[in-house]
Amino acid sequence: MAMDWRTHLAQGQVIPACPLMLDSDGRWNQRYQRAIVRYYLDAGGGGLAVGVHSTQFAIRDPAHNLFEPILRLVSETLNEIQATDTAPFVRIAGLCGETNQAIREAEFALSCGYHAGLLSLSAVAAFEESKIVEHCRQVARHIPIIGFYLQPAVGGRVLSESFWRRFAEIEQVVAIKIAPFNRYQTIDVVRAVMQSGRDDITLYTGNDDNIIVDLLTRFEFGGETRQIAGGLLGQWGVWTSQAVKMLREIQAVRLQRDIPAQWLTKNIALTDANAAVFDAANGFAGCIPGIMEVLRRQGLAPSNRCLNPHEVLSPGQAKELDRVSRVYPELTDDLFVRENLSRWLET
């Protein structure tokens, strides 16, 4: 019997946030969009999130109107691959907007074969928490949802432990992506889910600044323990095969009584690399261009162009990418890409 997608999700996977492939003139390149999906599958990714921050929220703007086309193309590409490869794979659609828009997006995603929706709260960030919970509840009636604690620096807001406790009471919640880039707020989510009694809500890290420690930590409150199963990360949209290898090693290490100290050093290396990719020095202004530049250098993207032509690499960011690629070659997967790129780009 094929594995249920929720069981697969709960086991802990590398789930990249899918980038949008644009030519240097800003046109959507469907050939490269299909290629990046093939890359993530061959790299061992356990799922893919489409229509999220890395895909660029502007795909929803009438001037671009790419939300439905990209979700459809990715799903069709996955269908073609999975016709012969039946390994489990979780399809996640990013959902945005106030309630009516988020519901429309949820219904479309479900019709395209997506399993769950990653629910952005940016459009309702100014609402009272009780109203945000009700928004989530209404959207969840249309598709299983994954909560999303997004850092304020890129459009999120601080949410209380009480909010996450009430959120966890929504029956259709299957997981939470914890991405506040803040230790205190990360703990709030874990504790809230534990106190809710929901052992069927899977925790995923979105804290690209602390990936390894999040995955290694055993959270203990009141004698009960919980761990973050995997990652749904923009960082894992690059160098994905090495991310998969790292997660499997971490999952094995977690079974040991003592965690080797070398993992703390690896956490700093990955965080340093992420700082270059995400442009932390400039308030994450070059985050998406940074992701695209890594992929462009590998040949996986036709350019580092964004829908907003003014969204570009920050001054000095390219040199930082040079540095981290040179200093941490073990994080990169350039050889893996070179060996397979021509096959992935076949139309």
Side-chain angles (χ1 to χ4, degrees):
M1 180 181 292
M3 183 183 296
D4 174 79
W5 68 267
R6 287 193 63 174
T7 301
H8 178 67
L9 184 71
Q11 289 179 343
Q13 307 299 333
V14 165
I15 302 181
C18 187
L20 177 68
M21 295 292 147
L22 299 175
D23 291 326
S24 58
D25 61 3
R27 295 184 184 183
W28 182 35
N29 190 310
Q30 296 186 29
R31 179 189 179 207
Y32 276 85
Q33 197 69 60
R34 286 190 290 268
I36 200 71
V37 174
R38 294 168 182 148
Y39 162 63
Y40 293 138
L41 276 155
D42 282 0
L48 188 60
V50 189
V52 294
H53 179 250
S54 292
T55 325
Q56 301 181 47
F57 292 135
I59 58 174
R60 295 165 172 83
D61 294 349
H64 306 299
N65 197 29
L66 285 172
F67 175 76
E68 292 189 5
I70 189 172
L71 259 68
R72 188 182 295 113
L73 181 139
V74 170
S75 187
E76 290 172 352
T77 304
L78 289 170
N79 288 342
E80 293 169 6
I81 297 169
Q82 294 190 295
T84 54
D85 180 0
T86 57
F89 193 84
V90 183
R91 305 184 189 191
I92 299 168
L95 309 177
C96 291
E98 295 192 22
T99 306
N100 289 339
Q101 177 184 334
I103 288 174
R104 287 195 301 271
E105 293 188 1
E107 291 176 338
F108 177 78
L110 199 63
S111 73
C112 285
Y114 287 82
H115 298 117
L118 180 67
L119 185 57
S120 169
L121 301 179
S122 295
V124 296
F127 294 1
E128 294 182 357
E129 286 189 347
S130 59
K131 191 173 180 180
I132 299 176
V133 172
E134 182 56 30
H135 164 77
C136 297
R137 194 182 309 279
Q138 291 188 42
V139 177
R141 294 186 181 122
H142 299 267
I143 195 171
I145 63 171
I146 297 172
F148 187 8
Y149 199 169
L150 178 65
Q151 61 161 321
V154 290
R157 61 163 279 184
V158 175
L159 294 161
S160 70
E161 182 177 332
S162 173
F163 167 84
W164 291 108
R165 174 70 181 270
R166 286 175 286 168
F167 179 83
E169 293 171 354
I170 299 172
E171 182 181 356
Q172 300 89 346
V173 171
V174 297
I176 298 175
K177 171 180 173 173
I178 309 171
F181 283 43
N182 181 288
R183 299 304 95 215
Y184 302 116
Q185 292 155 15
T186 295
I187 291 170
D188 283 345
V189 179
V190 179
R191 185 164 50 217
V193 172
M194 291 173 67
Q195 290 176 349
S196 75
R198 290 285 301 275
D199 59 5
D200 61 337
I201 294 178
T202 303
L203 301 177
Y204 268 67
T205 182
N207 289 320
D208 302 77
D209 65 337
N210 200 52
I211 297 169
I212 292 175
V213 168
D214 268 4
L215 292 168
L216 286 172
T217 299
R218 182 178 296 274
F219 296 85
E220 183 171 338
F221 304 107
E224 296 186 18
T225 61
R226 195 70 174 263
Q227 286 190 291
I228 292 173
L232 199 171
L233 296 155
Q235 175 63 41
W236 282 355
V238 303
W239 305 327
T240 311
S241 68
Q242 288 300 100
V244 171
K245 178 183 177 183
M246 178 180 293
L247 178 60
R248 298 307 170 217
E249 290 175 352
I250 288 170
Q251 289 171 331
V253 167
R254 289 194 311 205
L255 300 175
Q256 301 176 15
R257 180 188 179 105
D258 298 313
I259 305 298
Q262 68 190 47
W263 284 100
L264 296 176
T265 303
K266 290 182 179 181
N267 186 63
I268 295 302
L270 184 54
T271 301
D272 188 21
N274 175 258
V277 176
F278 272 28
D279 192 29
N282 295 287
F284 306 100
C287 174
I288 295 175
I291 292 168
M292 299 312 303
E293 176 64 10
V294 173
L295 296 174
R296 185 199 65 79
R297 292 180 180 191
Q298 292 183 302
L300 281 164
S303 76
N304 64 16
R305 172 69 185 261
C306 294
L307 288 172
N308 178 355
H310 301 294
E311 192 171 355
V312 297
L313 292 172
S314 292
Q317 190 177 1
K319 288 186 177 180
E320 274 296 281
L321 290 172
D322 292 340
R323 179 184 66 82
V324 298
S325 297
R326 182 180 67 253
V327 175
Y328 310 117
E330 71 278 6
L331 297 178
T332 70
D333 63 357
D334 293 355
L335 178 60
F336 173 71
V337 172
R338 283 198 299 271
E339 290 175 343
N340 294 280
L341 183 60
S342 60
R343 178 171 56 83
W344 295 329
L345 284 169
E346 291 176 359
T347 55

